[in-house]
Amino acid sequence: MFGILNTLAWLKVSGHFDNLNANLNRAVGVNLPRLQVAFKAVQSKRAVTVESFAAEQENLLSTLPSDQRTEITKFLDPQWVALLPIEDLPGASDEQLGIEYGRALQGDPTRLQASRYSTSDEA
């Protein structure tokens, strides 16, 4: 679920989210309730509390396994920031790189290594 939420968060930044969301009901061959709740989570981030989202989306959330519900809860935390795609690291701002380094120090050393190699190329 984190992969979907992260991708949708970046699509929202890039301006493609609304078009996809508007056509979501046309999707075939996918777990539509899972996508619907993911889109609603991205759309609702910073606008609702986790508790109100859970109450409003109870029917959709009930179709998901507990680990995916937990990931949505973490995503809705106002402190959560979308992962920066590794290919974007060379052009990342200092703030974005700081977030990535912080994540790496919390258990994702591959992202730290990718950041180090990307930024050292600029030196």
Side-chain angles (χ1 to χ4, degrees):
M1 181 58 76
F2 264 137
I4 292 172
L5 295 168
N6 189 57
T7 299
L8 290 176
W10 280 105
L11 287 171
K12 189 171 183 182
V13 170
S14 71
H16 299 288
F17 176 87
D18 291 333
N19 188 36
L20 288 172
N21 193 24
N23 292 289
L24 184 59
N25 290 327
R26 294 179 174 184
V28 293
V30 297
N31 183 338
L32 193 55
R34 182 175 186 228
L35 285 176
Q36 287 171 325
V37 76
F39 270 86
K40 288 178 189 285
V42 170
Q43 197 169 33
S44 301
K45 182 152 175 74
R46 292 191 175 90
V48 299
T49 64
V50 172
E51 296 78 16
S52 64
F53 184 84
E56 291 169 11
Q57 304 303 324
E58 184 177 358
N59 289 338
L60 286 174
L61 288 168
S62 69
T63 67
L64 301 178
S66 64
D67 63 320
Q68 292 182 18
R69 291 191 305 267
T70 299
E71 290 176 358
I72 290 171
T73 298
K74 289 178 182 177
F75 171 81
L76 289 171
D77 179 335
Q79 299 301 313
W80 188 90
V81 178
L83 290 173
L84 184 66
I86 289 178
E87 61 272 11
D88 290 349
L89 287 173
S93 69
D94 289 344
E95 180 181 4
Q96 290 170 315
L97 287 174
I99 290 168
E100 291 300 314
Y101 280 119
R103 286 189 173 129
L105 295 172
Q106 294 174 13
D108 193 353
T110 58
R111 296 189 71 76
L112 177 61
Q113 186 177 27
S115 298
R116 188 183 78 220
Y117 289 133
S118 294
T119 57
S120 68
D121 292 342
E122 296 172 9

